[in-house]
Amino acid sequence: MVLRSCWKSRHKNSCGPAGWIRPALLWFCVTQCVCGIGAVEESKNVVQKDAEFDVTYNDTVTSQNQTIYAFNHTISRNKTEGVRVTVDVLSRGSDSPILFVVRQKQAVLSFQIPLILRGLYQRKYPYNHVGRTLCQPPTRAPSENQFFFVDVSTLSSQGTNYQLRVSRVESFTLQTDTKFSFTASPSQPQYFKYVFPDGVDTVIVKVNSDMTFPCSVMSIQDIQCPVYDLDNNVAFIGMYQTMTKKGAITVQRKDFPSNSFYVVVVVKTEDEACGGPLRFYPLRPDELIDAGNRSKLIDVVVTPAINSEVYVRGMLFILGIFLSFYLLVLLMTCVENKRMKKREVFQIPADMSPAETASLLGKNGDGQTAASPYEYGSFADNGSTLSSEAITDSATSTDNNYGYIERSLDGVGRSRHESLSSVEEDDYDTLDDINSDKNIVRTKKYLCVSDLSRKDKRILSKKYQIYFWNIATIAVFYALPVVQLVITYQTVVNVTGNQDICYYNFLCAHPLGALSAFNNILSNLGYVLLGFLFLLIILKKDIVHNRALFRNDLNALECGIPKHYGLYYAMGTALMMEGLLSACYHVCPNYTNFQFDTSFMYMIAGLCVLKLYQKRHPDINASAYTAYACLAGVIFFSVLGVVFGKGNTVFWIVFSVIHILATMLLSTQLYYMGRWRLDSGIMRRMLNILYTDCIRQCSGPMYIDRMVLLVLGNIINWSLAAFGLLERPNDFASYLLAIAICNLLLYFAFYIIMKLRSGERIGCLALVCILFTAVVWGFALFFFFQGLSTWQKTPAESREHNRDCILLSFFDDHDIWHFLSSIAMFGSFLVLLTMDDDLDTVQRDKILAF
């Protein structure tokens, strides 16, 4: 080697091209090179020793001597036997490290002692005790003898004592379902080989430890050299994940052509990646930091994963569960149709005189003598309701009749067959006298549904259908980029092998194709199926109601809660989209993707509140544009909270102020039924009210029930705002969802209490739905709070919560949450749909609006 380098140097600088070099000069070059060889041989003594396994060699190395240890190793094709090199430096203080080079037939491994491993901010940690496992190249021969050499050298002039030991690793190949224990450290990584047995295509590699720290990394690598088993290179190839106490990676045979792989375990130099404390910053950049004892006792076991039969069984199970709801609804529909056919026999013709109607009906559904239709309003020949009404003032009404309204018989309504396109919502509300009329009606002490359902029902139906078309448009524009993004996330995970990107329950994550956790995606199918079933139920009810209107049915025209199905269609669509976006989130669940799982939860909560309010206030409910604009604002703050809300005091102050102001504005809107204005005179009017009602005369609120609801709502929302400002929860999206759910539950409880207080009753079907939904919600929340993973912690800490599958060896606790919550949401929708069925035969001016 010295001769070759010398010849290249002389040839380039002095000797010139071979075609015209002179013999004397050529002889001079050769002489100088030979002399250089003699000098090197005299200055450095190279000693080669025949070494044996399991023997400890104590030697000294300087810059003047180099030692080569030669080992003879027998490699068998049917038996894999690991070889491990362990080195320890006994004397310290040398300026130059010792270099160890292991030369094999098809691989070279080199390392120095002290081994310098870098941490965060370029911290340097020296290690004087190093242990490395040699990569075993495959052989085609049944048995083959191979030599490998360990070269020891240094540039230090001082003698450095070291110990060298090369040993065989008898348990180098892991056995299926057999636990194996070992110890690893940053300078002594470990890896073992696993071979897929016949008939097994997928296995789960589980690594456990009783020690939380030091932080470690487990990696799955193909059988090839070199093996990347140090903290600074373990992420170069294969699949890897950080771990504290638990780690698991699902491995498929199709990803490894050799039908085998290495399980590599590396202990990191620092614990920051696993949520541990960070060491102090060194005062000098080149200062070496003592890492202390970072040895970790680890257990590894490889178990077979589920086969295709379990996949089929899981899919059939979920289809059977939710298709049974279709069968149940179909059965109930058939029973209902038979009942309706019996009712049609006693249907009252539209042209029957009032006296004949009274004599035929006898008594109403409440067991009281039925009132004359003239008492509630008359019908024109075309069957439309009269639009002109004589309204009694609230001062003349008593507490018993709740603002009873006598309807005039002078007006004539529009034709029911008039095109919707020729009717606008503003046709009723353009004249000043009508606006004054609204001020009189909506400020009465006791309001009835008839007071707030005065607008043409066709206009309102068209208005509320916009809810469905808007949410369908939002769903398309929102879902397509989400699907594209999560596919990109899954591709990044598959290409890089970084298992820390996604927060799966790795102990129950069953892959299918490119998807890493197919079971978590499949379990969201219930939202889609039940949402579609709810749409079918609403479509059937809508058709039946339209037929009743076409027949000029008395109950459909003047009785019960006004039937507007646009919000129901929107709710069913939102439930289907929740299933789709939840499935997208579970393709790669992490901190930034969680908004996909919660966006349509906000939609569902908001639509349910709007539907509850619309039942008794159809004329003054928010339009689709206003409602979706407010929900867009909620989602906007959700994104801001995810990006900037973690520990940001300014953000939490701004959000809490906006939350409180929005609560106050909404409370004012609900209390005055929209009959107030936010303009420059708002402060003057507020002072006048305070002076007249609180100072001049102490009078209580006119609308006591509404005031109680709004006071409770403000207490809850102010408390939630204070909690967020003081605690600043990391999961801002869930915090927003908690606000929405608390307000929904409060308003639902108020609605039920006021309904019972008003003398109304809850039907049998509605009561069954309420009880069934409450029980299912209880079980669903139990499984939700099991917490199998959490992106509020590091990936390694999240894996400490991972647990095995509990249902059919395919579904985990979170999958059961998906099952039960989808059923509970479906049941909640049915509660909203059926809770006022008892009013279908009650005139609207007898139904209290609260």
Side-chain angles (χ1 to χ4, degrees):
M1 189 174 87
V2 177
L3 177 61
R4 182 175 62 183
S5 61
C6 179
W7 167 250
K8 285 183 178 180
S9 175
R10 302 287 183 177
H11 176 73
K12 180 177 179 181
N13 299 329
S14 304
C15 298
W20 50 272
I21 191 170
R22 289 176 293 177
L25 186 58
L26 177 61
W27 176 252
F28 176 76
C29 291
V30 173
T31 303
Q32 291 295 323
C33 290
V34 172
C35 293
I37 292 174
V40 171
E41 289 180 348
E42 291 178 0
S43 62
K44 189 152 190 169
N45 183 24
V46 179
V47 178
Q48 179 169 325
K49 299 180 179 179
D50 292 332
E52 297 180 357
F53 287 92
D54 299 320
V55 175
T56 302
Y57 294 93
N58 292 280
D59 283 322
T60 302
V61 62
T62 65
S63 59
Q64 304 299 319
N65 69 293
Q66 176 181 351
T67 305
I68 301 177
Y69 298 89
F71 292 87
N72 185 8
H73 182 46
T74 301
I75 299 177
S76 300
R77 184 174 59 187
N78 297 328
K79 181 181 179 182
T80 302
E81 193 175 56
V83 176
R84 189 164 180 83
V85 178
T86 305
V87 180
D88 193 9
V89 173
L90 302 179
S91 58
R92 304 178 182 179
S94 175
D95 295 335
S96 299
I98 304 177
L99 180 63
F100 291 83
V101 179
V102 182
R103 294 179 287 119
Q104 298 175 264
K105 183 178 180 180
Q106 298 181 8
V108 175
L109 172 66
S110 63
F111 55 89
Q112 69 175 42
I113 296 184
L115 178 65
I116 306 297
L117 297 178
R118 295 181 181 271
L120 199 62
Y121 305 119
Q122 297 300 311
R123 293 181 178 88
K124 297 180 180 179
Y125 299 92
Y127 294 91
N128 291 314
H129 184 71
V130 177
R132 303 292 295 276
T133 302
L134 302 184
C135 179
Q136 296 299 309
T139 179
R140 295 182 179 180
S143 180
E144 179 182 358
N145 290 330
Q146 291 186 2
F147 284 91
F148 67 90
F149 304 92
V150 180
D151 302 352
V152 184
S153 61
T154 184
L155 295 179
S156 175
S157 58
Q158 301 178 358
T160 304
N161 298 326
Y162 65 89
Q163 286 184 348
L164 172 68
R165 181 182 179 88
V166 178
S167 57
R168 291 184 173 89
V169 182
E170 299 296 338
S171 301
F172 184 69
T173 302
L174 299 175
Q175 303 298 319
T176 305
D177 290 326
T178 302
K179 184 173 71 172
F180 179 72
S181 302
F182 59 91
T183 302
S185 68
S187 62
Q188 300 179 75
Q190 299 272 11
Y191 66 86
F192 304 92
K193 182 179 180 181
Y194 180 81
V195 180
F196 281 97
D198 295 336
V200 176
D201 294 327
T202 307
V203 296
I204 302 178
V205 181
K206 303 176 183 179
V207 178
N208 300 288
S209 177
D210 294 332
M211 306 169 59
T212 303
F213 299 112
C215 178
S216 54
V217 179
M218 66 172 297
S219 172
I220 305 297
Q221 301 181 20
D222 201 358
I223 304 295
Q224 61 181 14
C225 298
V227 178
Y228 297 96
D229 59 348
L230 289 178
D231 184 22
N232 56 6
N233 62 18
V234 69
F236 284 0
I237 63 171
M239 299 180 290
Y240 63 93
Q241 61 180 219
T242 56
M243 61 161 288
T244 51
K245 290 185 175 182
K246 287 183 181 180
I249 295 180
T250 301
V251 186
Q252 301 182 77
R253 182 194 292 263
K254 66 181 181 63
D255 297 330
F256 297 92
S258 63
N259 295 329
S260 58
F261 57 86
Y262 285 137
V263 180
V264 183
V265 178
V266 178
V267 177
K268 296 182 71 64
T269 57
E270 294 176 339
D271 298 328
E272 189 268 342
C274 295
L278 193 62
R279 291 178 174 269
F280 63 89
Y281 192 82
L283 298 178
R284 295 188 302 273
D286 295 333
E287 180 181 356
L288 299 179
I289 303 175
D290 184 13
N293 182 19
R294 293 189 62 81
S295 298
K296 189 170 187 176
L297 180 62
I298 297 172
D299 301 329
V300 59
V301 60
V302 183
T303 59
I306 61 175
N307 53 30
S308 58
E309 294 180 359
V310 180
Y311 279 84
V312 174
R313 193 184 310 133
M315 289 185 281
L316 291 178
F317 171 79
I318 191 171
L319 287 175
I321 288 293
F322 293 108
L323 290 181
S324 63
F325 283 87
Y326 281 76
L327 296 177
L328 180 61
V329 170
L330 180 61
L331 179 61
M332 294 181 65
T333 302
C334 294
V335 174
E336 182 67 19
N337 287 338
K338 289 184 178 180
R339 293 177 58 187
M340 290 182 63
K341 288 181 180 179
K342 292 181 179 179
R343 287 181 183 178
E344 289 178 356
V345 178
F346 302 99
Q347 187 67 36
I348 304 171
D351 56 352
M352 183 177 292
S353 65
E356 292 173 337
T357 302
S359 62
L360 179 63
L361 290 177
K363 294 185 177 182
N364 60 18
D366 295 332
Q368 300 175 352
T369 302
S372 171
Y374 290 108
E375 187 178 1
Y376 305 112
S378 177
F379 295 89
D381 291 340
N382 58 9
S384 61
T385 59
L386 299 178
S387 59
S388 177
E389 304 177 6
I391 306 171
T392 58
D393 188 77
S394 59
T396 62
S397 61
T398 62
D399 293 347
N400 294 328
N401 58 15
Y402 297 111
Y404 174 79
I405 299 170
E406 293 184 358
R407 301 197 174 188
S408 170
L409 305 178
D410 298 331
V412 178
R414 290 192 180 97
S415 171
R416 182 166 305 282
H417 302 287
E418 184 180 356
S419 172
L420 290 178
S421 61
S422 65
V423 184
E424 299 296 336
E425 185 181 353
D426 294 335
D427 287 351
Y428 188 86
D429 297 336
T430 54
L431 302 179
D432 292 337
D433 58 338
I434 299 299
N435 190 56
S436 175
D437 185 46
K438 288 195 297 185
N439 287 328
I440 294 174
V441 173
R442 297 180 190 175
T443 55
K444 292 192 305 182
K445 186 173 183 180
Y446 297 103
L447 281 171
C448 297
V449 171
S450 59
D451 298 327
L452 300 176
S453 59
R454 299 156 58 88
K455 295 179 181 178
D456 193 296
K457 59 178 61 65
R458 295 166 298 164
I459 301 173
L460 291 180
S461 178
K462 181 180 176 182
K463 170 185 175 181
Y464 291 122
Q465 284 297 332
I466 299 176
Y467 273 96
F468 168 69
W469 292 113
N470 279 9
I471 200 171
T473 305
I474 292 169
V476 172
F477 280 92
Y478 192 87
L480 290 179
V482 168
V483 172
Q484 180 182 5
L485 180 62
V486 296
I487 290 175
T488 302
Y489 265 110
Q490 185 66 75
T491 303
V492 170
V493 172
N494 295 338
V495 171
T496 63
N498 185 359
Q499 302 285 304
D500 285 351
I501 296 178
C502 306
Y503 287 71
Y504 302 117
N505 175 19
F506 288 90
L507 294 178
C508 188
H510 305 302
L512 182 66
L515 300 174
S516 299
F518 174 70
N519 55 304
N520 295 147
I521 298 171
L522 178 65
S523 59
N524 288 282
L525 185 62
Y527 297 103
V528 179
L529 293 178
L530 294 182
F532 184 70
L533 177 59
F534 186 73
L535 289 179
L536 294 179
I537 295 173
I538 298 303
L539 179 61
K540 184 257 183 186
K541 284 187 169 291
D542 196 3
I543 293 173
V544 171
H545 179 65
N546 289 332
R547 289 176 178 174
L549 292 178
F550 184 78
R551 295 192 310 266
N552 295 330
D553 183 85
L554 176 66
N555 290 336
L557 290 170
E558 287 295 325
C559 297
I561 298 296
K563 304 295 190 295
H564 301 294
Y565 294 102
L567 273 168
Y568 284 127
Y569 284 118
M571 290 161 56
T573 305
L575 184 58
M576 294 179 65
M577 288 306 303
E578 172 58 29
L580 175 61
L581 293 179
S582 179
C584 291
Y585 164 71
H586 284 90
V587 170
C588 182
N590 56 41
Y591 183 62
T592 56
N593 286 355
F594 187 58
Q595 59 171 308
F596 305 155
D597 197 20
T598 55
S599 295
F600 273 81
M601 289 185 183
Y602 306 142
M603 293 278 193
I604 291 173
L607 291 174
C608 288
V609 172
L610 287 170
K611 186 58 195 177
L612 271 175
Y613 191 74
Q614 184 213 45
K615 282 175 171 289
R616 313 258 174 167
H617 314 82
D619 284 0
I620 61 174
N621 201 23
S623 67
Y625 306 110
T626 303
Y628 288 130
C630 294
L631 292 173
V634 172
I635 296 175
F636 174 74
F637 274 103
S638 175
V639 174
L640 290 182
V642 169
V643 178
F644 303 108
K646 200 170 184 178
N648 192 330
T649 305
V650 176
F651 169 81
W652 281 100
I653 292 175
V654 172
F655 174 77
S656 299
V657 170
I658 293 176
H659 181 194
I660 293 173
L661 290 177
T663 302
M664 295 175 65
L665 290 175
L666 183 60
S667 300
T668 306
Q669 176 74 14
L670 295 177
Y671 186 77
Y672 290 106
M673 293 288 183
R675 309 315 299 161
W676 70 289
R677 295 189 308 274
L678 182 62
D679 52 19
S680 58
I682 183 67
M683 296 302 299
R684 175 177 54 82
R685 293 193 296 272
M686 290 176 60
L687 292 176
N688 288 336
I689 292 174
L690 290 175
Y691 175 73
T692 56
D693 291 351
C694 298
I695 299 176
R696 188 173 179 179
Q697 59 179 5
C698 185
S699 59
M702 179 180 293
Y703 314 112
I704 298 178
D705 296 327
R706 270 182 259 168
M707 180 59 71
V708 171
L709 168 67
L710 297 175
V711 167
L712 289 176
N714 276 268
I715 291 174
I716 292 175
N717 281 277
W718 285 52
S719 301
L720 289 171
F723 172 80
L725 185 60
L726 296 176
E727 297 295 330
R728 299 174 212 162
N730 293 330
D731 189 355
F732 182 77
S734 295
Y735 169 74
L736 267 184
L737 186 60
I739 294 175
I741 292 176
C742 286
N743 284 277
L744 172 59
L745 292 178
L746 173 64
Y747 189 45
F748 179 75
F750 171 80
Y751 191 96
I752 293 294
I753 292 172
M754 291 300 299
K755 181 177 176 66
L756 298 176
R757 186 178 169 215
S758 302
E760 301 172 8
R761 60 184 179 84
I762 300 176
C764 180
L765 179 60
L767 185 61
V768 170
C769 289
I770 291 174
L771 296 177
F772 172 77
T773 302
V775 172
V776 176
W777 269 124
F779 283 104
L781 292 175
F782 171 78
F783 287 101
F784 175 76
F785 287 113
Q786 294 304 305
L788 301 182
S789 62
T790 171
W791 41 257
Q792 300 182 51
K793 300 179 180 180
T794 63
E797 292 174 305
S798 173
R799 275 183 276 273
E800 294 182 14
H801 304 280
N802 289 176
R803 279 189 285 185
D804 293 325
C805 305
I806 62 172
L807 180 62
L808 302 177
S809 300
F810 190 74
F811 298 112
D812 59 15
D813 298 72
H814 197 73
D815 294 325
I816 298 178
W817 149 254
H818 287 161
F819 298 152
L820 297 179
S821 63
S822 61
I823 296 173
M825 284 187 183
F826 177 71
S828 301
F829 289 179
L830 292 182
V831 170
L832 293 180
L833 183 63
T834 61
M835 64 189 305
D836 287 319
D837 285 352
D838 61 303
L839 304 177
D840 285 346
T841 57
V842 180
Q843 289 287 341
R844 288 170 190 164
D845 51 9
K846 296 294 186 182
I847 302 175
L848 184 65
F850 40 77

